[in-house]
Amino acid sequence: MADIDERRRKFLSRLAALLGTLAVFEAGWIGATFLGRRRSSTSSDKMRAAHVAGPVERFEPGSVTAFRDGHFYLVRLEDGGFLALHRKCTHLGCTVPWNADEQRFTCPCHASAFDMRGEVLSAPATRPLEQFAVRIENGNVVVNTDKLIRG
Ligand code: FES
């Protein structure tokens, strides 16, 4: 009887050691995965941060150009200025397409509409489209896509 108890005790002890070792490896794997993701997202964020849209003269006044990879529309206003509008509807986040015929952004989800400047034309959205900062650098339009500006 004492022999069985001793063998049971040794078995349980080894099982506990094995489970402890597995827990340590799993915690290390989870930590490495988390750090790897953080590193890769940080570097891709930096790459995304400055999006060169193209030379200024490429964009006609009164035009809207979609940049799918940057998730924005570059708007060249009639006065020559630029806006970079985020493609997400401010109601519930659907992607908002530009309707050139109607000269407005119309959300396919609940029909909110926004003008060329991103201002609300019709509800349910109550806030204008968000924007990214735009600058002209060496004759190119550069959009900073790492930070949204509330409209
Ligand atoms: S998500 Fe655009 S109107 Fe609702």
Coordinates of all heavy atoms in Angstrom, one line a residue, residues 64-96:
V64 N -11.9 64.4 -56.7 CA -11.8 63.5 -55.5 C -11.1 62.3 -56.0 O -11.5 61.6 -57.0 CB -13.2 63.2 -55.0 CG1 -13.0 62.2 -53.8 CG2 -13.9 64.5 -54.5
T65 N -10.0 61.9 -55.4 CA -9.2 60.7 -55.8 C -9.1 59.8 -54.6 O -8.7 60.2 -53.5 CB -7.8 61.2 -56.2 OG1 -7.9 62.2 -57.2 CG2 -7.0 60.0 -56.8
A66 N -9.5 58.5 -54.8 CA -9.5 57.5 -53.7 C -8.1 56.9 -53.6 O -7.4 56.6 -54.6 CB -10.5 56.4 -54.0
F67 N -7.6 56.8 -52.4 CA -6.4 56.1 -52.1 C -6.7 55.0 -51.1 O -6.8 55.1 -49.9 CB -5.3 57.0 -51.5 CG -4.7 58.0 -52.4 CD1 -5.4 59.1 -52.8 CD2 -3.5 57.7 -53.1 CE1 -4.9 60.0 -53.7 CE2 -3.0 58.5 -54.0 CZ -3.7 59.7 -54.3
R68 N -7.0 53.8 -51.7 CA -7.5 52.7 -50.9 C -6.5 52.2 -49.9 O -6.9 51.9 -48.8 CB -7.9 51.5 -51.9 CG -9.1 51.8 -52.7 CD -9.3 50.6 -53.7 NE -10.2 51.1 -54.7 CZ -11.6 50.9 -54.7 NH1 -12.1 50.3 -53.6 NH2 -12.3 51.3 -55.6
D69 N -5.2 52.2 -50.3 CA -4.2 51.7 -49.4 C -4.0 52.6 -48.2 O -3.7 52.2 -47.1 CB -2.9 51.4 -50.1 CG -2.4 52.5 -50.9 OD1 -3.2 53.4 -51.3 OD2 -1.2 52.6 -51.2
G70 N -4.3 53.9 -48.4 CA -4.2 54.9 -47.3 C -5.5 55.1 -46.6 O -5.5 55.8 -45.6
H71 N -6.6 54.5 -47.1 CA -7.9 54.7 -46.5 C -8.4 56.1 -46.5 O -9.0 56.6 -45.5 CB -7.9 54.1 -45.1 CG -7.5 52.7 -45.0 ND1 -8.3 51.6 -45.5 CD2 -6.3 52.1 -44.7 CE1 -7.6 50.5 -45.3 NE2 -6.4 50.7 -44.9
F72 N -8.1 56.9 -47.5 CA -8.5 58.3 -47.6 C -8.9 58.7 -49.0 O -8.5 58.0 -50.0 CB -7.5 59.2 -47.0 CG -6.2 59.3 -47.8 CD1 -6.1 60.2 -48.8 CD2 -5.1 58.5 -47.5 CE1 -4.9 60.3 -49.6 CE2 -3.9 58.6 -48.2 CZ -3.8 59.5 -49.3
Y73 N -9.6 59.7 -49.1 CA -9.9 60.4 -50.4 C -9.1 61.7 -50.4 O -9.1 62.5 -49.4 CB -11.3 60.8 -50.6 CG -12.2 59.6 -50.7 CD1 -13.0 59.1 -49.7 CD2 -12.4 58.9 -52.0 CE1 -13.8 58.0 -49.8 CE2 -13.2 57.8 -52.1 CZ -13.9 57.4 -51.0 OH -14.7 56.3 -51.2
L74 N -8.4 62.0 -51.4 CA -7.7 63.3 -51.6 C -8.6 64.2 -52.4 O -9.0 63.9 -53.5 CB -6.3 63.1 -52.3 CG -5.5 64.4 -52.3 CD1 -5.1 64.8 -50.9 CD2 -4.3 64.3 -53.2
V75 N -9.0 65.2 -51.7 CA -9.9 66.2 -52.4 C -9.1 67.4 -52.7 O -8.4 68.0 -51.9 CB -11.1 66.6 -51.4 CG1 -12.0 67.7 -52.0 CG2 -11.9 65.4 -51.0
R76 N -9.2 67.8 -54.0 CA -8.6 69.1 -54.4 C -9.8 70.0 -54.6 O -10.6 69.9 -55.5 CB -7.8 68.9 -55.8 CG -7.2 70.3 -56.2 CD -5.7 70.3 -56.0 NE -5.1 71.6 -56.1 CZ -4.2 71.9 -57.0 NH1 -3.8 71.0 -57.9 NH2 -3.7 73.1 -57.0
L77 N -9.8 71.0 -53.7 CA -10.9 72.0 -53.8 C -10.7 73.0 -54.9 O -9.6 73.1 -55.5 CB -10.9 72.8 -52.4 CG -11.0 71.9 -51.2 CD1 -10.8 72.7 -49.9 CD2 -12.4 71.3 -51.1
E78 N -11.8 73.6 -55.3 CA -11.8 74.6 -56.4 C -10.7 75.7 -56.2 O -10.2 76.2 -57.2 CB -13.2 75.2 -56.6 CG -14.2 74.2 -57.1 CD -13.9 73.7 -58.5 OE1 -13.1 74.3 -59.3 OE2 -14.6 72.7 -58.9
D79 N -10.5 76.0 -54.9 CA -9.5 77.1 -54.7 C -8.1 76.6 -54.7 O -7.1 77.3 -54.4 CB -9.8 77.8 -53.3 CG -9.6 76.9 -52.1 OD1 -9.1 75.7 -52.3 OD2 -9.9 77.3 -51.0
G80 N -7.9 75.3 -55.0 CA -6.6 74.7 -55.1 C -6.1 74.0 -53.8 O -5.1 73.3 -53.9
G81 N -6.8 74.2 -52.7 CA -6.4 73.5 -51.5 C -6.7 72.0 -51.5 O -7.4 71.5 -52.4
F82 N -6.1 71.3 -50.6 CA -6.3 69.9 -50.5 C -6.9 69.5 -49.1 O -6.6 70.1 -48.1 CB -4.9 69.2 -50.6 CG -4.4 69.2 -52.0 CD1 -3.4 70.1 -52.4 CD2 -4.8 68.2 -52.9 CE1 -2.9 70.1 -53.7 CE2 -4.3 68.2 -54.2 CZ -3.3 69.2 -54.6
L83 N -7.7 68.5 -49.2 CA -8.2 67.8 -47.9 C -8.0 66.3 -48.1 O -8.1 65.8 -49.2 CB -9.7 68.0 -47.8 CG -10.2 69.4 -47.5 CD1 -11.7 69.4 -47.5 CD2 -9.7 69.9 -46.1
A84 N -7.6 65.6 -47.1 CA -7.5 64.2 -47.1 C -8.6 63.7 -46.1 O -8.5 63.8 -44.9 CB -6.2 63.7 -46.7
L85 N -9.7 63.1 -46.7 CA -10.8 62.7 -45.9 C -10.7 61.2 -45.6 O -10.5 60.4 -46.6 CB -12.1 63.0 -46.6 CG -12.4 64.5 -46.9 CD1 -13.7 64.6 -47.7 CD2 -12.5 65.3 -45.6
H86 N -10.9 60.8 -44.4 CA -11.0 59.4 -44.0 C -12.2 58.7 -44.7 O -13.2 59.3 -44.8 CB -11.1 59.2 -42.5 CG -10.8 57.9 -42.0 ND1 -11.3 57.4 -40.9 CD2 -10.0 56.9 -42.5 CE1 -10.9 56.1 -40.7 NE2 -10.1 55.8 -41.6
R87 N -12.0 57.5 -45.1 CA -13.1 56.8 -45.9 C -14.2 56.2 -45.0 O -15.2 55.7 -45.5 CB -12.5 55.6 -46.7 CG -11.6 56.1 -47.8 CD -10.9 55.0 -48.4 NE -11.6 53.8 -48.5 CZ -11.6 52.9 -49.4 NH1 -10.7 53.0 -50.4 NH2 -12.3 51.8 -49.3
K88 N -14.0 56.3 -43.7 CA -15.0 55.7 -42.8 C -16.1 56.7 -42.4 O -15.9 57.8 -42.0 CB -14.3 55.3 -41.5 CG -13.8 53.9 -41.4 CD -13.3 53.6 -40.0 CE -13.3 52.2 -39.8 NZ -12.8 51.9 -38.4
C89 N -17.3 56.2 -42.5 CA -18.5 57.0 -42.1 C -18.4 57.2 -40.6 O -18.1 56.4 -39.9 CB -19.8 56.2 -42.5 SG -21.3 57.0 -42.1
T90 N -18.8 58.4 -40.2 CA -18.8 58.8 -38.8 C -20.0 58.3 -38.1 O -20.1 58.5 -36.9 CB -18.6 60.3 -38.6 OG1 -19.7 60.9 -39.3 CG2 -17.3 60.8 -39.1
H91 N -20.9 57.6 -38.8 CA -22.1 57.0 -38.1 C -21.6 55.7 -37.4 O -21.4 55.7 -36.2 CB -23.2 56.9 -39.0 CG -24.4 56.2 -38.4 ND1 -25.1 55.1 -38.9 CD2 -25.0 56.5 -37.2 CE1 -26.1 54.8 -38.1 NE2 -26.1 55.6 -37.1
L92 N -21.4 54.7 -38.2 CA -21.0 53.4 -37.7 C -19.8 52.8 -38.4 O -19.5 51.6 -38.2 CB -22.2 52.4 -37.7 CG -23.4 52.8 -36.7 CD1 -24.5 51.8 -36.9 CD2 -22.9 52.8 -35.3
G93 N -19.1 53.6 -39.2 CA -17.8 53.1 -39.7 C -17.8 52.4 -41.0 O -16.8 51.9 -41.4
C94 N -18.9 52.4 -41.8 CA -18.8 51.8 -43.1 C -17.9 52.6 -44.0 O -17.8 53.8 -43.8 CB -20.2 51.8 -43.7 SG -21.3 50.6 -42.9
T95 N -17.4 52.0 -45.1 CA -16.6 52.7 -46.0 C -17.6 53.5 -46.9 O -18.6 53.0 -47.4 CB -15.8 51.7 -46.9 OG1 -14.9 51.0 -46.0 CG2 -15.0 52.4 -48.0
V96 N -17.2 54.8 -47.1 CA -18.1 55.7 -47.8 C -17.6 55.9 -49.2 O -16.5 56.5 -49.4 CB -18.2 57.0 -47.1 CG1 -19.2 58.0 -47.8 CG2 -18.6 56.8 -45.6

